Amino acid sequence: FEAAGIRSGRIGTVGYQVADREVAATRTTPEAPDLQRMLREMVSAGCGACVLEASSHALALRRVDCLHFSAAIFTNLTRDHLDFHRDMEDYFLAKRRLFELLPPGGVGVTNLDDRRGAAFAAVAARPVTYAIDTPADIRPGPLTFSLDGLAFEVRTPRGTLALRSPLVGRPNAYNILAAVAAAVALDVPFN
């Protein structure tokens, strides 16, 4: 968003950015009143977008129920939070709630390399898919992994985008593909 000239905020595990102010994260997704306060601060500061990491805990506890999302992203379903969720099905249902909260025209971005990805795409009114190993809307060209980071082309319906990132590893390649898929679906211009 910032590269496209859209001032934005961020709320997630690594911290909260409210306009120009960085705030330490107390949890991935804040409690609903704190979240609403931060979003109001972003709007007041002229932010046109916010990237929010909606944790499965926050979805299960309904911290984000009153938000109007433009897009949702499903990255993967692993055995991370079975201390909170009863089982994998309960965890899946919690994550799927984000897609169920989308408005009628909302975009559901889904990783088809995850075995549950197709189930998320089926819930979205406007599904956009990404993958490394599976046919999808957004795919990488040959990936170059090194200790210096990632380098690859991303093939999209809008054309090919050459990317370099100091981030390393396959999980970060997936995250980059997810971000590009969301940007394409939301018509954020490439720079």
Side-chain angles (χ1 to χ4, degrees):
F1 289 118
E2 296 280 338
I6 302 167
R7 191 168 194 201
S8 61
R10 171 184 34 83
I11 296 174
T13 304
V14 298
Y16 312 145
Q17 180 186 341
V18 181
D20 296 326
R21 185 171 54 96
E22 189 70 31
V23 180
T26 55
R27 52 181 45 97
T28 298
T29 311
E31 294 294 339
D34 298 326
L35 177 58
Q36 292 293 333
R37 180 183 42 75
M38 283 187 257
L39 292 169
R40 166 50 46 206
E41 289 177 35
M42 289 179 201
V43 169
S44 295
C47 291
C50 174
V51 176
L52 168 71
E53 186 178 355
S55 69
S56 62
H57 293 72
L59 289 159
L61 296 171
R62 303 189 177 278
R63 289 185 202 150
V64 298
D65 277 13
C66 292
L67 299 183
H68 300 281
F69 295 97
S70 298
I73 298 174
F74 167 70
T75 54
N76 58 43
L77 186 68
T78 61
R79 302 185 64 81
D80 292 346
H81 299 295
L82 294 182
D83 58 326
F84 179 82
H85 301 288
R86 285 188 311 267
D87 53 29
M88 287 300 287
E89 187 63 18
D90 188 49
Y91 186 22
F92 162 76
L93 293 172
K95 282 195 165 203
R96 191 179 73 184
R97 281 203 72 249
L98 181 59
F99 281 59
E100 293 166 352
L101 290 171
L102 286 170
V107 175
V109 177
T110 304
N111 176 4
L112 288 183
D113 282 346
D114 185 280
R115 68 179 192 84
R116 297 301 288 264
F120 284 85
V123 174
R126 285 182 50 210
V128 176
T129 59
Y130 70 97
I132 293 174
D133 300 320
T134 306
D137 300 319
I138 310 294
R139 302 260 341 257
L143 287 161
T144 302
F145 296 98
S146 76
L147 294 177
D148 295 325
L150 298 164
F152 59 99
E153 291 184 342
V154 180
R155 298 178 184 131
T156 80
R158 286 185 10 205
T160 301
L161 180 65
L163 291 174
R164 296 187 63 72
S165 171
L167 300 173
V168 296
R170 192 173 173 97
N172 284 311
Y174 278 113
N175 289 340
I176 291 167
L177 289 170
V180 169
V184 166
L186 294 173
D187 291 324
V188 176
F190 293 159
N191 285 344

